[in-house]
């Protein structure tokens, strides 16, 4: 039988100081400041695996941190070479990472995965705020024009972020804003702005699209997603998403080096498609706040819902990715 998934005890701000004191710490140089690192015995394994030196953040500037798009409201910044992302963590994500880091890192070093590598978890003494440093899951060389760039969750929060070099701004209509005609504004042609229409069309495309893969690539991707979602289900984590960036080019054009990224290259219909994948935002636990949000969304938001308990979220995510990344006889892997 099934069991009810109970909310995590790690509410934002709770237990964080106790967990921080219990975690193994080390000192690291970030932007010329000495910071206290958490569980670096675990994160150092990923730095070694990806040949990341212990001085990789020495030139980082905390002044570069700024708010990016999204609902979290935390600061983040790329390093000067765009290869690494430094992200301020909420108290809830900080506590979640202290609890689950060793399990996630162990999973990433031992088997197939598409989880974006994490290299450092630290607290900055100047402000007492926690940060996480991750690999940028997309390549950073100049001149890239993205054919498509998606954020995929396996539910109605899927979105198309860029198409043929054009960014698609987010224009939200929250399900609880009933005074804004949440359903009707997306189906009545005269009841919306052009920007919202474009964003909504991109969301529909992201949710319904499939990708023609070689049998080898489809098996690798779906197998890794299965392993990752099994991990997240067991840890009680949800709300993660898959970043999917696609470059389309001629079959005779050179393929850029993978440089540690999850890169899949194939020929299809006279062109070469280069896929870059990475699972991000995997620290959200099933809290009482999420339980309330799920209850509010259930009667109004389109299905499948994004706010569901971790086991259901894992099932939805895996099922969606298994459907999207399909083996196609006409597609062949390119070395």
């Amino acid at each position: 039988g099934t069991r009810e998934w109970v909310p995590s005890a790690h509410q934002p701000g709770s237990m964080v100081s106790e967990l921080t004191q219990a975690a193994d710490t080390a000192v690291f140089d970030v932007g010329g400041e000495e910071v206290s690192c958490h569980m670096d015995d675990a994160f150092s394994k990923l730095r070694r695996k990806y040949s990341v030196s212990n001085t990789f953040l020495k030139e980082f500037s905390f002044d570069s941190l700024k708010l990016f798009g999204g609902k979290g409201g935390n600061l983040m910044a790329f390093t000067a070479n765009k290869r690494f992302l430094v992200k301020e963590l909420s108290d809830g994500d900080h506590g979640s990472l202290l609890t689950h880091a060793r399990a996630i890192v162990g999973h990433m070093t031992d088997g197939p995965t598409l989880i974006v590598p994490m290299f450092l978890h630290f607290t900055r003494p100047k402000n007492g705020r926690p940060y996480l440093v991750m690999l940028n899951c997309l390549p950073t060389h100049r001149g890239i024009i993205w054919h498509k760039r998606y954020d995929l969750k396996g539910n109605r929060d899927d979105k198309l972020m860029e198409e043929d070099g054009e960014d698609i701004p987010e224009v939200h209509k929250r399900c609880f804003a009933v005074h804004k005609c949440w359903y009707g504004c997306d189906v009545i042609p005269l009841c919306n702005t052009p920007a919202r229409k474009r964003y909504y069309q991109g969301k529909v495309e992201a949710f319904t699209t499939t990708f023609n893969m070689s049998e080898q690539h489809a098996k690798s991707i779906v197998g890794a997603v299965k392993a990752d979602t099994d991990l997240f289900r067991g840890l009680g984590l949800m709300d993660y998403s898959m970043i999917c960036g696609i470059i389309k080019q001629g079959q005779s054009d050179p393929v850029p080096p993978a440089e540690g990224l999850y890169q899949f290259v194939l020929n299809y219909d006279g062109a070469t498609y280069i896929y870059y994948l990475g699972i991000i935002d995997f620290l959200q636990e099933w809290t009482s706040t999420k339980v309330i949000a799920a209850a509010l969304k259930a009667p109004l938001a389109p299905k499948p819902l994004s706010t569901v308990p971790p086991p259901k979220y894992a099932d939805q995510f895996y099922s969606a990715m298994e459907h999207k990344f399909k083996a196609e006889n006409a597609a062949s892997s390119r070395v």
Side-chain angles (χ1 to χ4, degrees), residues 137-138 146-152 159-162 209 211 213 221 241-247 262 264 274-280 321 324-325:
C137 64
L138 299 177
W146 291 106
H147 173 54
K148 306 275 187 179
R149 191 162 54 88
Y150 296 98
D151 185 339
L152 306 172
K159 57 179 174 281
L160 175 64
M161 299 185 291
E162 185 175 348
T209 193
F211 309 111
M213 311 299 293
I221 293 168
S241 61
M242 170 94 78
I243 297 299
C244 174
I246 307 170
I247 297 173
Y262 302 126
F264 302 87
I274 309 173
Y275 286 76
Y276 294 92
L277 305 178
I279 296 177
I280 64 169
M321 301 309 149
K324 285 184 178 299
F325 293 94

Side-chain angles (χ1 to χ4, degrees), residues 2-4 37 50 66 68 89 102 128 130 155 159 173 176 178 210 225 227 232 259 264 269 304 308 310-311 328:
T2 59
R3 65 183 178 89
E4 181 180 0
C37 303
Y50 286 86
K66 62 181 181 179
F68 276 68
L89 295 176
R102 286 195 173 89
N155 54 54
K159 57 179 174 281
K173 292 284 184 69
F176 43 79
V178 293
T210 58
V225 171
F232 295 143
E259 296 181 333
F264 302 87
D269 198 22
V308 293
E328 166 60 52

Side-chain angles (χ1 to χ4, degrees), residues 212-215 251 266-271 327-333:
N212 295 317
M213 311 299 293
S214 68
E215 183 175 355
Q251 291 190 355
L266 59 100
N267 291 330
Y268 180 75
D269 198 22
E328 166 60 52
N329 291 333
S332 60
S333 301

Side-chain angles (χ1 to χ4, degrees), residues 276-330:
Y276 294 92
L277 305 178
I279 296 177
I280 64 169
D281 295 341
F282 43 79
L283 295 176
Q284 179 63 56
E285 297 178 314
W286 184 245
T287 64
S288 57
T289 301
K290 287 294 181 181
V291 173
I292 295 170
L296 292 173
K297 290 180 180 181
L300 296 173
K303 310 301 186 292
L305 295 172
S306 59
T307 307
V308 293
K312 187 171 183 179
Y313 194 96
D315 291 341
Q316 283 183 178
F317 190 90
Y318 172 72
S319 178
M321 301 309 149
E322 183 183 37
H323 173 73
K324 285 184 178 299
F325 293 94
K326 287 186 170 182
E328 166 60 52
N329 291 333

Side-chain angles (χ1 to χ4, degrees), residues 28-35 57-62 126:
F28 214 91
D29 185 334
V30 179
E33 298 181 22
E34 286 191 350
V35 301
L57 291 176
K58 197 168 185 178
E59 304 303 320
F60 177 75
S61 172
F62 282 99
K126 279 191 176 181

Side-chain angles (χ1 to χ4, degrees), residues 218-240:
K219 184 177 180 179
S220 296
I221 293 168
V222 173
V225 171
K226 181 65 166 63
D228 292 338
T229 52
D230 283 349
L231 171 74
F232 295 143
R233 179 191 288 106
L235 297 180
L237 301 173
M238 46 81 68
D239 215 19
Y240 38 89

